[in-house]
Amino acid sequence: MPRMERTRARSIAPGVALVVALLAGCGAEPAPAPTPTPSIPSPSASADPTPLEGPVAPTGAATVLAQGLNAPWSVVRLDEGTMPGGSALISERDTAKVRELTAEGELRDAGTVPGVSPGGEGGLLGLATLRQGDTVWLYAYLTAASDNRIVRMPLLGSAGSLELGGAEVVLAGIPKAGNHNGGRIAFGPDGMLYATAGDAGRPNLAREPSSLGGKILRMTPEGGTPPDAPWGSVVHSIGHRNPQGIAWGDDGTMYASEFGQNTWDELNIIVAGQDYGWPVVEGIADTEGFVNPIRHWSTDEASPSGLAHTHDTLFMAALRGEGLWGIVVGLESVDAEPYFAGEYGRLRDAIPGPDGTLWVLTNNTDGRGSPREGDDKLLQIQLAGQQPG
């Protein structure tokens, strides 16, 4: 039976060094393509001048930055290099609205993304931004009537009064279903646009390179195929069930969080051209030909969605697990600690915030959670250096 979107445990993934060796043995990742002309901010960059050394952990209670959101799915900050003014943008899955959170804390509508056909786990999902010359583009991953697709729209106006311009299709033809739609998008340190695509409830698509389902996708900002693509298409890696989080470490390592079936949810290191095993294997299976995750969780602990990297630490938002996992990847082990278990309900997204903070979206109004007063919310969490031991 397909598992829908659905915590004190400290875990060490067996053989992390062996995973790295396996990745090397499967073939090195092709050299990155030349960085496109647009200047792409690092996905983990923060306008944070605080000399905070990692790894880090949450400290204190969360601050509510915005509330009254309707099934929010993704949040992006408009930093000074993208658009001055301090605004952030939030997608609402079922209304197809993009909400602007101004620097003054006002929540307003920037516009409605056209062509969204909400249903089940589909709708308006991931957001990403890119500045090209004088144009600031908002990219959106959405469920349309016949498929999942990525579009982009120019942001018109200035911070505090933003509007969406006309949408143009970047990539179409990603399989859709009532569940397993993937949906996260982000620009990588190589300037390429990455997207997570679910298997749309058809597991056999995941290991078929000709399908866009069950994949990590990588493309130019206009949706083209990079010159170093392993299959000569936008398919970057295969064998994924329903990945919904991507982030990069300071050394360029790419991580992805992924929903499992009935046994294991996963955290993977993503390498071009590799097979991550679904539907043949799930979790750390040590099966020849498939790349192991570096950490797995039982399905009631996690149901992972958004993933952030800041100060040598990964933070993974958990839906059914109703908490935030802080993850430190070492040379020989992966340490994972849960925070805020049950305090804020289901968590959908996490991104680096300003001044040594983390931003987290709750997701209790999507039909599967138990809404609390003010839900759904955007939270700000202060981070501090981890104490030894």
Side-chain angles (χ1 to χ4, degrees):
M1 177 181 296
R3 183 170 72 90
M4 304 292 188
E5 294 179 355
R6 23 177 221 316
T7 182
R8 163 132 154 155
R10 181 180 178 91
S11 175
I12 295 179
V16 172
L18 293 179
V19 172
V20 176
L22 173 60
L23 293 176
C26 288
E29 184 170 2
T35 302
T37 302
S39 174
I40 313 292
S42 166
S44 60
S46 166
D48 176 14
T50 308
L52 181 61
E53 294 187 2
V56 292
T59 180
T63 300
V64 177
L65 298 180
Q67 59 184 355
L69 297 164
N70 187 338
W73 214 93
S74 180
V75 56
V76 291
R77 295 174 54 225
L78 298 175
D79 61 22
E80 291 300 306
T82 303
M83 177 176 285
S87 285
L89 299 173
I90 303 167
S91 64
E92 292 187 339
R93 187 190 69 185
D94 298 337
T95 67
K97 291 180 179 179
V98 174
R99 312 294 303 279
E100 180 184 9
L101 177 64
T102 71
E104 293 73 34
E106 176 193 0
L107 196 61
R108 58 174 300 274
D109 293 349
T112 300
V113 178
V116 178
S117 181
E121 296 171 10
L124 179 58
L125 304 178
L127 300 178
T129 58
L130 169 68
R131 185 179 188 95
Q132 289 182 312
D134 293 332
T135 301
V136 177
W137 294 99
L138 178 67
Y139 287 71
Y141 186 115
L142 62 91
T143 307
S146 60
D147 59 3
N148 286 304
R149 55 182 56 192
I150 300 169
V151 302
R152 69 177 187 175
M153 301 150 286
L155 286 175
L156 307 178
S158 58
S161 58
L162 291 173
E163 296 181 0
L164 305 181
E168 61 182 53
V169 175
V170 174
L171 180 71
I174 305 169
K176 65 166 278 189
N179 59 2
H180 302 191
N181 290 294
R184 195 70 57 190
I185 56 176
F187 281 96
D190 58 358
M192 297 295 172
L193 178 65
Y194 291 75
T196 68
D199 68 6
R202 289 176 278 168
N204 289 337
L205 295 181
R207 299 189 59 238
E208 175 50 63
S210 64
S211 170
L212 299 182
K215 309 295 191 298
I216 303 292
L217 308 176
R218 174 176 176 260
M219 67 206 78
T220 68
E222 294 73 34
T225 298
D228 56 349
W231 284 283
S233 71
V234 297
V235 172
H236 188 62
S237 62
I238 67 175
H240 301 284
R241 182 176 179 273
N242 191 22
Q244 287 192 1
I246 47 179
W248 288 262
D250 293 336
D251 62 357
T253 299
M254 183 180 179
Y255 300 92
S257 55
E258 180 171 339
F259 283 87
Q261 172 81 342
N262 297 314
T263 309
W264 301 116
D265 294 324
E266 300 180 353
L267 177 66
N268 287 292
I269 290 177
I270 301 299
V271 175
Q274 299 306 306
D275 187 339
Y276 289 80
W278 176 255
V280 179
V281 297
E282 182 180 347
I284 298 172
D286 295 323
T287 301
E288 185 176 358
F290 303 128
V291 179
N292 275 336
I294 60 170
R295 173 62 159 87
H296 64 203
W297 289 259
S298 64
T299 56
D300 61 352
E301 291 180 296
S303 293
S305 191
L307 187 67
H309 180 275
T310 184
H311 295 95
D312 302 323
T313 310
L314 289 163
F315 288 100
M316 188 177 76
L319 292 164
R320 185 174 177 182
E322 294 195 352
L324 181 72
W325 285 90
I327 305 162
V328 178
V329 180
L331 293 176
E332 300 292 338
S333 66
V334 176
D335 294 331
E337 294 286 348
Y339 301 99
F340 307 110
E343 289 188 39
Y344 303 107
R346 292 159 55 85
L347 303 184
R348 173 63 74 180
D349 197 11
I351 66 169
D355 303 323
T357 65
L358 188 76
W359 284 12
V360 175
L361 275 178
T362 71
N363 198 198
N364 297 313
T365 59
D366 71 343
R368 295 205 175 121
S370 299
R372 300 132 190 254
E373 184 178 357
D375 274 342
D376 267 318
K377 303 170 185 174
L378 175 63
L379 306 174
Q380 179 169 281
I381 298 167
Q382 186 64 49
L383 302 174
Q386 290 190 12
Q387 297 300 314

